[in-house]
Amino acid sequence: PRPILDMSYSRHFLDFQGSSIPSSMKKLVVTKLSQNFREAVTLQQDSPVPLPGDGDLLVRNRFVGINASDINYSAGRYDSSVKLPFDIGFEGVGDVVALGLSASADYTVGQAVAYVKAGSFAEYTVVPAKQAVPLPSVKPEFLTLMVSGATAYISLKELGELSEGKKVLVTAAAGGTGQFAVQLAKKAKCHVIGTCSSDEKGGFLKSIGCDHTINYKTENVESVLRKDYPEGVDVVYESVGGKMFDLALNSLATKGRLIIIGFITGYQNPTGLSPIKAELLPAKLLKKSASIRGFFLNHYLSEYENALKHLLEMYEKGDLVCEVDFGDVSPEGKFIGLESVFRAVDYMYMGKNIGKIVVELPHSVNSKL
């Protein structure tokens, strides 16, 4: 074990006496740009464990979150200047096992933290202390709030203009972020409609307050909306793209707002986009004084801290369900270990998950933590 203050490193850091931080670790690395995650990403077995700088924490990851956009990242769509190979994974929850001297003013070894930062698909990640979120304990439920919950909270608050009685349509409502859009719209006293792909998902949606569920595998969504909501819907929280986007656009009420938070149907395509009937878009929007807004969390980081604080408070009070899907019902069972991230991404794209997909990283490290 490294001693608690190791003077042999140029950037001094504090370590937990006897925590036996290994010198190497497993991590996932993008080695080829492709929207096929299995083709793009390699599991490296013996990467060096990074050292925290003066203002950093070394976090031993216990749970990591799977996001639809992991495929966009592995395809190089977010930053064309990025050079191969590069680390992947956007969010994690774990324990602080070492930290820089400046970071020790606010954090201690053994503390539970969450973070959003590229490189979470690893056993250990260096996180700037300023970007970490202290948690009361290491629980996977906290992970659901970091990207998925914050996306729903900020987009609906900033772009949704929710008020009592408004009709809100959430596509992929039983997914990682959809579950929060449903609950937050209900808290704003809206009437919430959710689309999903199974009766089991419909049951989950009803349990979190969804007023009307539509199983798009067995029902014609367009017909149901036209029949039950002839005046249209006021807000759409849209993450599917393609035909669902067209359908949602056509279902907007006068002055309706469609918020695009993603288009999952297009992520695995080589082009990245499913075609939409955009030629008629100006006429459709003008006719209804309707609007379409895109939402990308990175552009709203000034709102992030406040959003997360509210979400954490709601969860702690029992006012928010944070559904986690560990893949227990998937063919090969629960997602445990970095090698199961590949299965977890497949599971998401098959539309099997209810709630946020989370992978657990077990640690057999001899530790007092």
Side-chain angles (χ1 to χ4, degrees):
R2 298 170 180 167
I4 198 158
L5 181 56
D6 189 334
M7 302 302 284
S8 65
Y9 291 101
S10 57
R11 295 176 299 178
H12 304 149
F13 69 97
L14 300 171
D15 188 1
F16 190 78
Q17 201 163 25
S19 69
S20 302
I21 299 169
S23 56
S24 65
M25 65 171 185
K26 291 181 187 173
K27 72 172 179 176
L28 294 185
V29 177
V30 178
T31 49
K32 176 188 173 185
L33 295 183
S34 169
Q35 77 283 343
N36 179 331
F37 192 82
R38 287 176 180 272
E39 222 174 74
V41 178
T42 305
L43 173 62
Q44 292 189 348
Q45 298 282 352
D46 54 358
S47 293
V49 171
L51 276 174
D54 183 57
D56 297 332
L57 312 173
L58 180 65
V59 178
R60 185 176 69 187
N61 293 314
R62 297 270 297 282
F63 299 102
V64 294
I66 304 294
N67 291 284
S69 45
D70 288 327
I71 277 189
N72 285 338
Y73 202 58
S74 70
R77 288 186 187 131
Y78 280 162
D79 182 1
S80 51
S81 68
V82 75
K83 297 278 185 287
L84 291 165
F86 56 88
D87 297 347
I88 191 166
F90 290 130
E91 53 185 342
V93 164
D95 314 286
V96 175
V97 292
L99 69 171
L101 292 180
S102 297
S104 67
D106 299 304
Y107 287 91
T108 57
V109 164
Q111 192 162 356
V113 294
Y115 63 90
V116 176
K117 178 183 179 283
S120 70
F121 291 165
E123 291 178 316
Y124 295 84
T125 303
V126 166
V127 179
K130 287 177 182 167
Q131 290 177 27
V133 177
L135 298 174
S137 60
V138 174
K139 281 170 77 172
E141 286 78 9
F142 292 125
L143 194 56
T144 67
L145 303 174
M146 300 301 292
V147 171
S148 301
T151 294
Y153 184 97
I154 300 170
S155 65
L156 289 173
K157 180 171 175 278
E158 297 294 315
L159 310 178
E161 296 171 40
L162 301 184
S163 58
E164 189 170 350
K166 294 286 186 198
K167 294 184 277 294
V168 179
L169 171 65
V170 180
T171 64
T177 188
Q179 65 172 327
F180 295 110
V182 168
Q183 294 179 79
L184 294 168
K186 279 305 293 176
K187 289 194 186 310
K189 299 184 176 171
C190 296
H191 175 91
V192 184
I193 309 129
T195 71
C196 61
S197 60
S198 71
D199 292 342
E200 188 192 358
K201 290 184 180 189
F204 165 68
L205 288 174
K206 286 185 176 135
S207 78
I208 58 171
C210 195
D211 297 290
H212 189 164
T213 62
I214 306 173
N215 180 343
Y216 65 81
K217 292 276 176 79
T218 58
E219 299 175 82
N220 182 308
V221 181
E222 196 157 15
S223 306
V224 172
L225 289 172
R226 201 180 296 126
K227 175 176 159 287
D228 294 346
Y229 306 95
E231 300 292 308
V233 295
D234 302 296
V235 178
V236 182
Y237 186 83
E238 216 298 270
S239 61
V240 177
K243 288 176 184 167
M244 188 63 83
F245 171 87
D246 286 328
L247 191 155
L249 176 66
N250 293 339
S251 305
L252 281 177
T254 302
K255 297 185 183 174
R257 298 171 293 287
L258 190 153
I259 305 168
I260 300 171
I261 62 119
F263 39 93
I264 191 170
T265 51
Y267 294 171
Q268 284 186 311
N269 296 352
T271 57
L273 277 169
S274 305
I276 56 165
K277 294 172 184 164
E279 304 86 18
L280 303 171
L281 193 58
K284 285 180 180 178
L285 295 178
L286 181 63
K287 183 178 163 190
K288 296 177 175 178
S289 292
S291 63
I292 299 176
R293 299 286 298 271
F295 178 88
F296 188 42
L297 187 59
N298 288 10
H299 299 148
Y300 287 86
L301 294 180
S302 58
E303 312 292 321
Y304 184 78
E305 196 177 329
N306 193 37
L308 204 57
K309 184 167 161 265
H310 277 195
L311 288 165
L312 285 165
E313 281 169 9
M314 287 164 75
Y315 172 67
E316 293 281 273
K317 280 189 205 155
D319 289 342
L320 201 61
V321 172
C322 298
E323 188 70 16
V324 171
D325 191 333
F326 278 119
D328 295 294
V329 301
S330 68
E332 291 171 60
K334 189 173 175 180
F335 303 133
I336 297 181
L338 285 171
E339 45 285 340
S340 70
V341 167
F342 298 96
R343 283 200 299 121
V345 170
D346 289 343
Y347 180 75
M348 171 181 288
Y349 278 91
M350 287 188 284
K352 300 290 189 190
N353 58 300
I354 295 180
K356 173 88 180 179
I357 300 176
V358 172
V359 173
E360 182 177 352
L361 304 187
H363 283 276
S364 55
V365 180
N366 169 26
S367 170
K368 296 177 186 172
L369 293 181

